[in-house]
Amino acid sequence: MVPLLREKDFYEPEEQRRISWPEYNSSQIDDAYETLAFIRDSVDQAQYMVTTGKTGRPLTDPKMLAKSVLLCEALGLTERAAQGWLRILGPFLGIYEQLDDRTIGEAYDKTEVVYLLKQVFESSKTSDGILSGDGTGLETSRKQNYESQKKAGDYMTSIVDSREIVQAFDISGEQECKAMHKLINGVYGNSLRLDAGFNDRELVRKIAENGMVPYVFPKKNNNINGKLAWKLMYLELFYDVMYWLTEYHLRSHTESFHASFKTKHGMITKRRPIAKLSQVTARVVLHNRRRDSYFSKLANVS
């Protein structure tokens, strides 16, 4: 049955949604204002431990550094360009100190900034409980093909909901199935969808124990020997194939997120581990804000 599920003609094609480009274009101004206001307010609400630095030049407020990192990623700015833009946008963001390009660049590599960005990520994300997971390469070069050079490049494993709002992510470089074992402990939902690369009995058991219904695509050599969660998952597939597949293929939202995430922000430009984590976290935060804003507006219209 598994080879049949992979055939193209097995599914009926869906009609493409029409896009109103005039409405889309006019919304960009509002989106820019919302993004800047979000950066200001979300970072101001975050908490961090005030530490006493060494004698000498006073330390720059980590919140101003976190805001500058978010601004760089929101507008796609280099540190040199951000130095100029902060002279214009700084007061609106609550940045009253003149930050030079070197200070902005070093902000990426500060643990205080990562700590603040993680707080913003956790406090601002929402979930509809319909979760999906997958892994993808993060290109660090224009010539890099992550599919054939996974070991050479950077890799991100993530869990998103059906609105493509990121619930958890990992860029440690750990193999995606092993990373997923850890990520599921930090998410809450009703169900979780994973492709055949996560076909693991122990992972399915953990998903079920965390209160989520697992939908993990089978392999040809699978059998139903295993724990109860493993048996029930594939018995449900056998009893009602189309219902199971309809639920499973909501996983396409994960691939859609990865595609839009990399198209919007481009390749990873940082090399040091903490700086790289700051950059990816800032991009995830900004992505979540856009998606949450979009669906909030849809709810108000309806």
Side-chain angles (χ1 to χ4, degrees), residues 3 42 245:
S42 61
L245 289 176

Side-chain angles (χ1 to χ4, degrees), residues 267-279:
M267 64 182 183
I268 300 300
T269 59
K270 303 303 178 184
R271 296 294 179 265
R272 289 176 288 186
I274 294 178
K276 194 179 302 179
L277 179 58
S278 294
Q279 187 171 48

